[in-house]
Amino acid sequence: MQKSKLWTKDFLAVSLTSFFVFVIFYMLTVTLPLFATDELHASKQSLGLIVTIFLVSGIVFRPLAGKWMTTLGQKKVLLIGVLIFLIGSILYMNIHSLSALLLLRVLHGIGFGMSTTATGAIVANVIPEQRKGEGMGYYATFMNLAMVVGPFVGLTLTNSLSHTAVFTVAVVSSVLAVLCSLVLRVPEVQPASSTTAEMKPAKGFAAFFEYRSLAISVAGLVVAFSYASVISFVSIYAKEMGFTQASSFFFVVYAVCLLASRPFTGKWFDQYGENSVVYPSILSLAIGIFLLSQATTSWVFLLAGALIGLGFGTITSSFQSIAVKKASPHRRGVATATFFVFFDSGMGLGSLLLGILATAAGYKGMYMFCSIIALLAIAVYLVLHGRKSQKQRIISQNESLGK
C-alpha cells in the first residue's frame, strides 16, 4: 500500500513558519539574560523573569487562540500571531531599561503563543493520519533545529558583534515567518456544528482546554520544568565555568544527535507505540542534565548537550503527537493549545523558581535538582498515560491476531 504524501508545500510552509518563530524564541532566550546583565545591569534574581513573563503572556493567549481558530480560522489566527511577533522583534532595537524589556516580553509572548498554537494545529491537519508520529517528528525537527540555530547564532553574534546584531536577525526571521504564513494554504476551520454530540460547540472550560489531552500535558509540564534549567541558564553557567567557546556548540551537538535519531524515532512511535520512545528519551534527558551538574571540562559539557538533545527533542514531538491524537480533528487546535499551556507553564515556572534556586545553591546544585525532576517525569508519564497506552496497545495487538 502506497504511503500518503508527507512532504507537501503546506507541510514545508507551516514547518518553516514554526522554525523562524522558534529561532527567535531560543535566540533571545539565551541572549537576553546576557543583554540584561551587560546593558541593563539586571540582578541574577530578575533574569528568570525575562523568560517567565514571556511565557506567561503566551500561556494566557494560547487557550484564546485555540478557541479563535474554531471561529476565525487557523490561518487568520496564525497571521495575527506572526504580525504581533514581528512588531515585538522590531521594538527590541529601542530598549534601555529592564521594565521596558519586561513590557515588551509581554507583547512578544502574545505573538508567540498565538502563532505557535496555530502552527501546531495546522500541521496536525496537514499530516496524513497513518504517518502522524513520523510527520510530527519531522515537524518537531524544525523546532529542534531552531533550538540549535537560535542559540548558536545568538551567542556567536553576542560574543563577536553586538546585541543589536541579534535583534536584527530577530527582525529578519520574523519577516520570513510572515512570508511563509502567507503562502500557506489551509482549509479554514468551520464553526462546530450542533447536529451531533461530537461536534457541539464546547462551553466553559472545554471551550479552551481539551480534556483528553490533559494527562499528557501534565507530564509535559514536568519535563519542561526540568528543561528550563538548560534553555534559561546554560549560557550563564557556561560563562561561569569557563566554557564560553563550547557554549556556542552546545546546541550544535544537541542537534546532530537529535537529527541522527529522527529517521528512527518517528517510525518507532508509529510502529511500536509511544512508550518505546518516551521512556528512553526521558532517561536520556535526566542523564544529560545530571552531566551538566558534574561538568568540569568542555567535552563533558558537550556530551550533556548530546544527551539532552536526544532526549528532550524526541519527548516534545512525542508528547505533542499524543496530545493531538487524543482529540477529534476539529479540536486539534484546542488540544495543541492545552499541551503548550502546560508545557509553557512548566518552562515559565522553571525559569522563575530555578533562578532563585541557582542563587541559593549555585548552578551545579540547580542542575542536580533538575536531573531528579526529569527522572520523576518517568513516573508521572507512567501513571498518567504510559500504563493506559500499553494496555490499549496489547488490546489492539490481540484484536489484530484474532482477525
Side-chain angles (χ1 to χ4, degrees), residues 27-95:
M27 180 174 65
L28 294 180
T29 298
V30 299
T31 58
L32 282 179
L34 297 173
F35 171 73
T37 302
D38 297 340
E39 303 294 333
L40 307 179
H41 310 293
S43 63
K44 182 183 290 187
Q45 293 92 326
S46 65
L47 295 181
L49 280 174
I50 296 172
V51 176
T52 300
I53 202 166
F54 175 92
L55 292 174
V56 166
S57 64
I59 288 167
V60 170
F61 273 80
R62 280 193 186 280
L64 294 172
K67 180 176 173 58
W68 291 336
M69 278 189 284
T70 64
T71 54
L72 297 177
Q74 295 174 340
K75 185 170 182 177
K76 288 180 182 177
V77 173
L78 175 59
L79 286 173
I80 293 170
V82 292
L83 286 172
I84 293 174
F85 204 68
L86 171 59
I87 293 170
S89 298
I90 294 171
L91 292 176
Y92 282 105
M93 297 286 191
N94 195 35
I95 292 296

Side-chain angles (χ1 to χ4, degrees), residues 231-254:
I231 195 62
S232 298
F233 303 107
V234 73
S235 59
I236 302 292
Y237 177 59
K239 186 176 182 179
E240 183 180 276
M241 295 296 294
F243 302 147
T244 303
Q245 291 294 329
S247 66
S248 296
F249 291 94
F250 180 89
F251 289 98
V252 174
V253 174
Y254 177 115

Side-chain angles (χ1 to χ4, degrees), residues 68-261:
W68 291 336
M69 278 189 284
T70 64
T71 54
L72 297 177
Q74 295 174 340
K75 185 170 182 177
K76 288 180 182 177
V77 173
L78 175 59
L79 286 173
I80 293 170
V82 292
L83 286 172
I84 293 174
F85 204 68
L86 171 59
I87 293 170
S89 298
I90 294 171
L91 292 176
Y92 282 105
M93 297 286 191
N94 195 35
I95 292 296
H96 302 292
S97 68
L98 180 61
S99 58
L101 176 61
L102 294 178
L103 284 173
L104 175 55
R105 294 294 280 170
V106 173
L107 175 67
H108 217 203
I110 292 171
F112 178 78
M114 292 181 66
S115 58
T116 54
T117 300
T119 54
I122 291 169
V123 78
N125 290 325
V126 168
I127 298 170
E129 288 298 322
Q130 66 271 32
R131 302 184 70 178
K132 191 69 69 182
E134 182 184 1
M136 291 299 291
Y138 282 117
Y139 168 73
T141 299
F142 283 85
M143 290 189 289
N144 299 142
L145 283 173
M147 291 181 191
V148 182
V149 174
F152 179 77
V153 171
L155 291 173
T156 299
L157 291 176
T158 298
N159 294 332
S160 60
L161 293 175
S162 66
H163 294 292
T164 301
V166 174
F167 299 146
T168 301
V169 171
V171 173
V172 172
S173 295
S174 295
V175 171
L176 292 173
V178 172
L179 293 176
C180 289
S181 300
L182 288 171
V183 302
L184 173 64
R185 296 182 62 184
V186 57
E188 295 295 341
V189 177
Q190 299 298 319
S193 169
S194 59
T195 56
T196 65
E198 178 68 20
M199 293 293 289
K200 283 183 178 179
K203 297 180 180 179
F205 183 86
F208 300 95
F209 294 92
E210 174 56 60
Y211 285 101
R212 286 173 285 188
S213 301
L214 285 175
I216 195 64
S217 299
V218 172
L221 182 150
V222 179
V223 170
F225 184 95
S226 64
Y227 182 73
S229 64
V230 179
I231 195 62
S232 298
F233 303 107
V234 73
S235 59
I236 302 292
Y237 177 59
K239 186 176 182 179
E240 183 180 276
M241 295 296 294
F243 302 147
T244 303
Q245 291 294 329
S247 66
S248 296
F249 291 94
F250 180 89
F251 289 98
V252 174
V253 174
Y254 177 115
V256 169
C257 292
L258 174 64
L259 291 175
S261 69

Side-chain angles (χ1 to χ4, degrees), residues 216 269 274 277-278 281 313-323:
I216 195 64
F269 182 97
E274 49 259 36
V277 173
V278 170
S281 298
T314 304
I315 292 167
T316 51
S317 63
S318 298
F319 278 18
Q320 191 177 352
S321 296
I322 294 168

